[in-house]
């Protein structure tokens, strides 16, 4: 498989996926807020374990 044929296949695959990417049940604010909360929780856990005694 050459680089050109691989690129052509990837472009064709990407063009097929343009019809709809947003699922109705995915709320971007809820998803982003959840990710932000998880990152803050991980930061808090990391700082608890990183205390100097």
């Amino acid at each position: 498989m050459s680089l050109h044929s691989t690129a052509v296949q990837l472009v064709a695959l990407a063009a097929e996926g343009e019809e709809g990417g947003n699922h109705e049940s995915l709320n971007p604010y809820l998803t982003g807020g959840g990710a932000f909360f998880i990152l803050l929780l991980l930061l808090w856990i990391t700082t608890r374990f990183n205390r100097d005694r």
Side-chain angles (χ1 to χ4, degrees), residues 1-41:
M1 195 177 256
S2 70
L3 181 63
H4 178 69
S5 64
T6 304
V8 170
Q9 287 179 351
L10 286 175
V11 167
L13 183 64
E16 290 174 4
E18 289 181 0
E19 294 174 0
N22 295 333
H23 196 271
E24 292 179 3
S25 67
L26 291 178
N27 183 350
Y29 294 111
L30 182 62
T31 306
F36 183 66
F37 175 75
I38 290 172
L39 286 173
L40 284 177
L41 180 65

